[in-house]
């Protein structure tokens, strides 16, 4: 061990002239790196979470399977590690029951057994007046026995669901770690939630909202992430739904400088769990990096995730949160209702719309084999401009057009393919 006193006397002259400068530099370095690490979402952590959640071990995380429970235990373990409180009395699990036929080929009516699913909920108590919900669904299509797969022969195939929605789930975990390690946002409490039953119809989030384990009136807003793992590095398109659910959203989003090309959508109702909160008059935002070929297919795998891209989305979300006021609950606004639910349609085309497309018409991002559009000759990249007699201005008009047809109808469909108009026929 060095004799510190002697050393100090010997170097004291030098100390102030030289070492002080060094110390100041060192302190500046520590300060800056603290700031930097405070900004940093960990790409290795995202990789670790998504690789596990989307691995074959979890067999596609089908709701009410043993593997769903395994995934839930993994999430609870992470929350505990970050020092978060259980979000449902003394447990992280929020069990719900539901009745639903999980096999599309099982035509037996009546007697559908009651099943159980689990949301996973954790609370970060910063003694603040209001709480932000940060959520994502962690369930996926399991082995493809329900009717949600886009694979022509899905039964028995593991639907790993890396983007849908191991990506959003890993986002919840990373934001939970970030906000529990950094006291920068003591102005809010946080409820971190991972939902099950989303793919079966937003069941887990709806059950929780109907019988919440935390008072809804303390929630200022909800952030949802569903499919944030496929950021396109050239277009940088990030879609933000729900900007019409509070008057603060648009000014906040417009004020944040970023590399993203942000596409804003006002609707509070959409095809993910933010809908359950919006229907309880809670402002919401939902983040989405866009559709792709592997959507709802066994090929939605971990190696296709853009991890750096996802980290940048999460850092953007942190900036949005830091820009929101904490002195009052956000004002809630009702938005136009676009019913995207399957229940309102008697027919389906079997196409994946490009939700990020901003031009006239409906751009097709993918076509399901064996469904009407594919049989009629529609292709990925086609832009639908006319359906029957209806000019298709955008996705809303398209949805409306679709609802006017019934099974068996044959309808002319006009598309733009490579800039040329082409008329095809589709039989529903
Ligand atoms: Zn999905």
């Amino acid at each position: 061990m060095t004799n510190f006193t002697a050393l100090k006397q010997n170097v004291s002259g030098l100390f102030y002239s030289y070492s002080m400068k060094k110390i100041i530099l060192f302190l500046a370095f520590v300060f800056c790196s603290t700031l930097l690490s405070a900004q940093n979402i960990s790409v290795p952590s995202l990789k670790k979470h998504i690789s596990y959640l989307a691995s074959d071990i979890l067999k596609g995380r089908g709701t009410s399977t043993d593997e769903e429970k395994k995934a839930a235990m993994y999430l609870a373990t992470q929350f505990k590690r970050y020092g978060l409180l259980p979000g449902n009395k003394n447990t992280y699990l929020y069990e719900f029951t539901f009745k639903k036929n999980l096999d599309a080929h099982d035509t037996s009516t009546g007697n559908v057994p009651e099943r159980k699913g689990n949301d996973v909920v954790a609370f970060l108590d910063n003694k603040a007046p209001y709480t932000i919900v940060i959520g994502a669904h962690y369930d996926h299509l399991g082995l493809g026995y329900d009717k949600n797969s886009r694979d022509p022969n899905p039964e028995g195939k593991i639907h790993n669901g890396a983007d849908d929605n191991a990506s959003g789930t890993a986002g919840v975990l990373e934001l939970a770690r970030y906000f529990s390690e950094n006291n920068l946002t003591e102005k809010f409490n946080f409820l971190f939630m991972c939902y099950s039953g989303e793919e079966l119809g937003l069941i887990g989030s709806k059950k929780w909202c109907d019988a919440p384990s935390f008072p809804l009136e303390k929630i200022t807003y909800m952030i949802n992430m569903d499919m944030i793992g496929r950021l396109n590095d050239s277009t940088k398109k990030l879609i933000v739904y729900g900007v019409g659910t509070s008057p603060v959203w648009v000014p906040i989003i417009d004020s944040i400088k970023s590399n993203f090309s942000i596409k804003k959508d006002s609707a509070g109702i959409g095809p993910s769990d933010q809908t359950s909160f919006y229907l309880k008059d809670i402002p919401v935002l939902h983040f989405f990096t866009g559709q792709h070929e592997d959507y709802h297919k066994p090929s939605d795998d971990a190696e296709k995730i853009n991890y750096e891209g996802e980290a940048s989305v999460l850092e953007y979300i942190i900036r949005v949160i830091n820009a929101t006021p904490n002195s009052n609950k956000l004002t809630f606004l009702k938005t136009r209702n676009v019913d995207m639910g399957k229940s309102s349609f008697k027919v389906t085309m079997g196409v994946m719309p490009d939700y990020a497309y901003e031009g006239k018409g409906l751009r097709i991002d993918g076509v399901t084999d064996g469904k009407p559009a594919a049989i009629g000759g529609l292709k990925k990249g086609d832009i639908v401009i006319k359906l029957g007699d209806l000019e298709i201005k955008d996705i809303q008009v398209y949805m409306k057009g679709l609802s006017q047809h019934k099974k068996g109808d044959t309808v002319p469909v006009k598309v733009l393919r490579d800039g040329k108009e082409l008329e095809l026929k589709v039989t529903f």
Side-chain angles (χ1 to χ4, degrees):
M1 195 193 276
T2 315
N3 182 332
F4 184 64
T5 316
L7 193 72
K8 200 175 148 193
Q9 280 162 357
N10 285 340
V11 297
S12 63
L14 215 65
F15 187 83
Y16 288 103
S17 62
Y18 174 65
S19 295
M20 201 60 191
K21 248 189 225 165
K22 253 188 159 174
I23 285 171
I24 287 167
L25 276 174
F26 176 69
L27 286 178
F29 170 75
V30 168
F31 180 69
C32 287
S33 55
T34 311
L35 272 185
L36 278 177
S37 71
Q39 289 295 317
N40 261 349
I41 288 294
S42 158
V43 168
S45 295
L46 290 176
K47 274 191 183 150
K48 190 188 98 185
H49 298 318
I50 294 174
S51 305
Y52 176 66
L53 292 168
S55 69
D56 285 354
I57 300 169
L58 293 186
K59 294 184 184 157
R61 309 181 304 282
T63 302
S64 92
T65 62
D66 289 349
E67 289 77 18
E68 177 222 43
K69 199 69 187 282
K70 221 182 234 180
M73 295 315 292
Y74 176 81
L75 300 172
T77 305
Q78 306 304 316
F79 285 145
K80 195 170 180 194
R81 243 182 47 190
Y82 307 147
L84 304 178
L85 301 169
N88 182 25
K89 299 184 191 93
N90 51 12
T91 169
Y92 294 97
L93 300 184
Y94 178 92
E95 191 180 82
F96 59 87
T97 56
F98 66 103
K99 280 190 171 187
K100 186 145 189 158
N101 196 345
L102 299 182
D103 185 344
H105 297 298
D106 183 356
T107 49
S108 58
T109 45
N111 283 346
V112 178
E114 189 169 79
R115 298 172 202 277
K116 288 182 165 66
N118 279 287
D119 297 335
V120 189
V121 191
F123 186 53
L124 173 56
D125 189 0
N126 285 325
K127 310 280 177 236
Y130 298 111
T131 296
I132 298 169
V133 171
I134 297 184
H137 78 88
Y138 74 95
D139 65 303
H140 192 53
L141 307 181
L143 296 173
Y145 287 102
D146 65 21
K147 59 186 187 312
N148 288 320
S149 178
R150 290 175 62 240
D151 188 285
N153 301 300
E155 284 87 0
K157 293 180 186 161
I158 299 176
H159 289 61
N160 302 86
D163 186 32
D164 185 9
N165 186 27
S167 68
T169 309
V172 172
L173 292 179
E174 261 306 274
L175 291 176
R177 184 193 59 76
Y178 171 84
F179 283 116
S180 61
E181 285 174 5
N182 295 281
N183 292 330
L184 298 175
T185 314
E186 276 181 347
K187 53 182 192 164
F188 297 107
N189 310 314
F190 291 90
L191 204 55
F192 297 101
M193 307 182 78
C194 301
Y195 313 105
S196 189
E198 192 271 352
E199 301 286 7
L200 302 172
L202 316 182
I203 297 174
S205 57
K206 187 180 157 25
K207 292 277 178 177
W208 189 88
C209 283
D210 285 345
S213 62
F214 183 88
L216 291 185
E217 60 273 15
K218 296 232 155 106
I219 297 173
T220 174
Y221 59 88
M222 188 262 186
I223 301 253
N224 188 46
M225 297 168 284
D226 194 352
M227 300 175 66
I228 55 166
R230 292 286 194 106
L231 184 77
N232 181 318
D233 278 330
S234 47
T235 65
K236 296 262 181 211
K237 198 154 265 185
L238 177 62
I239 306 150
V240 188
Y241 289 97
V243 300
T245 62
S246 178
V248 304
W249 290 140
V250 170
I252 285 176
I253 286 166
D254 287 349
S255 72
I256 297 174
K257 286 203 177 67
S258 77
N259 290 329
F260 293 115
S261 160
I262 304 271
K263 191 188 178 230
K264 291 178 286 214
D265 187 303
S266 65
I269 289 183
S272 191
D273 296 298
Q274 79 277 11
T275 305
S276 304
F277 288 82
Y278 169 76
L279 293 173
K280 297 290 178 192
D281 293 355
I282 294 169
V284 297
L285 282 184
H286 166 48
F287 292 84
F288 174 45
T289 50
Q291 285 293 354
H292 48 79
E293 252 317 282
D294 302 302
Y295 172 70
H296 279 201
K297 284 187 181 171
S299 52
D300 178 6
D301 286 330
E303 64 268 20
K304 292 177 184 161
I305 296 294
N306 178 351
Y307 291 97
E308 302 283 344
E310 172 161 348
S312 66
V313 170
L314 295 171
E315 280 168 8
Y316 182 82
I317 292 173
I318 292 171
R319 294 169 69 197
V320 170
I321 290 171
N322 284 328
T324 54
N326 69 329
S327 50
N328 54 287
K329 262 171 77 174
L330 294 195
T331 305
F332 171 76
L333 291 179
K334 271 205 182 340
T335 65
R336 68 190 165 80
N337 281 353
V338 184
D339 189 1
M340 310 277 265
K342 285 183 199 111
S343 54
S344 60
F345 298 106
K346 294 177 220 67
V347 298
T348 170
M349 283 268 265
V351 302
M352 183 50 47
D354 176 0
Y355 289 101
Y357 174 70
E358 282 165 304
K360 185 179 170 288
L362 173 104
R363 194 181 164 279
I364 296 174
D365 234 353
V367 179
T368 308
D369 294 340
K371 291 277 167 70
I375 293 168
L378 276 86
K379 288 197 171 127
K380 179 184 161 143
D382 285 352
I383 298 163
V384 178
I385 51 173
K386 214 168 168 188
L387 182 69
D389 294 325
L390 191 68
E391 298 269 355
I392 305 299
K393 199 171 71 156
D394 55 25
I395 188 164
Q396 275 80 35
V397 178
Y398 167 81
M399 293 290 184
K400 219 178 117 204
L402 213 53
S403 69
Q404 290 162 358
H405 295 287
K406 56 184 192 308
K407 250 199 161 92
D409 285 355
T410 296
V411 181
V413 179
K414 198 179 267 181
V415 302
L416 276 177
R417 182 178 294 169
D418 304 319
K420 288 195 192 83
E421 283 192 13
L422 189 68
E423 195 167 286
L424 301 160
K425 276 197 166 60
V426 168
T427 304
F428 294 114

